[in-house]
Amino acid sequence: PLEGHVEEFGHGLGEEMLTPTRIYARDCLALTAETGVRMFAHITGGGLARNLERVLPDGVDAIVDRGSWTPAPVFKLIASRGRVERAEMEKTFNMGVGMVAVLPADEVDRALAVLTARHVPAWVLGEVRRSKGKHVHKVHMKGDHPRF
């Protein structure tokens, strides 16, 4: 039931589902002003890999480490109660990653500082590197989410 308390959320399912999405526009502008960010990928329907692939130019791949974050409890609830496999979850949902910024490795610390000062949860999700040939997919997901 939507009004039923869900321990993992600390409130009801209905309240969780009505939590507004974060708007990242000002955070992205601040990051652009302070770092040499190369591109952003807004992770919406279609999941992390497909949204990130859209912004990557030819000749580069992204390696995303699932171990770098734990998806919000709502995703675990959907996966377990709906018996949804990880591949389908990742194709459908953002799994708690709303925006990805791609920037030079030597600017990561500065980017994290800017986002921390703006109270935006941020972490190193993975890396971008030169492609090692033609691939069907430019984004490679590795590892497992902790506590998921």
Side-chain angles (χ1 to χ4, degrees):
L2 292 177
E3 63 280 349
H5 182 80
V6 178
E7 187 65 35
E8 297 95 321
F9 305 157
H11 50 260
L13 178 60
E15 187 176 338
E16 181 70 19
M17 300 309 284
L18 290 174
T19 301
T21 188
R22 181 178 195 114
I23 305 299
Y24 294 98
R26 290 186 178 157
D27 303 316
C28 290
L29 289 171
L31 204 53
T32 301
E34 296 285 335
T35 70
V37 68
R38 303 264 172 86
M39 63 194 81
F40 292 101
H42 187 202
I43 313 304
T44 59
L48 176 57
R50 286 194 290 190
N51 283 281
L52 185 52
E53 281 179 354
R54 285 184 211 150
V55 301
L56 293 175
D58 289 337
V60 297
D61 291 339
I63 312 305
V64 174
D65 182 5
R66 290 182 190 98
S68 66
W69 86 100
T70 299
V74 69
F75 299 111
K76 186 173 186 176
L77 180 81
I78 293 167
S80 64
R81 298 257 176 102
R83 296 185 187 107
V84 182
E85 297 293 327
R86 179 172 77 183
E88 187 63 28
M89 290 293 296
E90 290 179 347
K91 277 181 18 185
T92 306
F93 302 105
N94 71 13
M95 301 300 286
V97 178
M99 182 71 70
V100 173
V102 178
L103 54 135
D106 63 349
E107 299 212 28
V108 168
D109 290 341
R110 179 69 185 139
L112 292 172
V114 168
L115 294 171
T116 297
R118 298 182 63 79
H119 307 288
V120 177
W123 63 94
V124 176
L125 184 67
E127 66 178 333
V128 174
R129 64 181 185 200
R130 290 189 192 280
S131 295
K132 295 180 180 177
K134 281 265 191 208
H135 296 91
V136 174
H137 301 289
K138 292 182 182 183
V139 177
H140 310 279
M141 306 287 288
K142 71 173 193 172
D144 293 310
H145 296 293
R147 301 176 307 283
F148 187 73

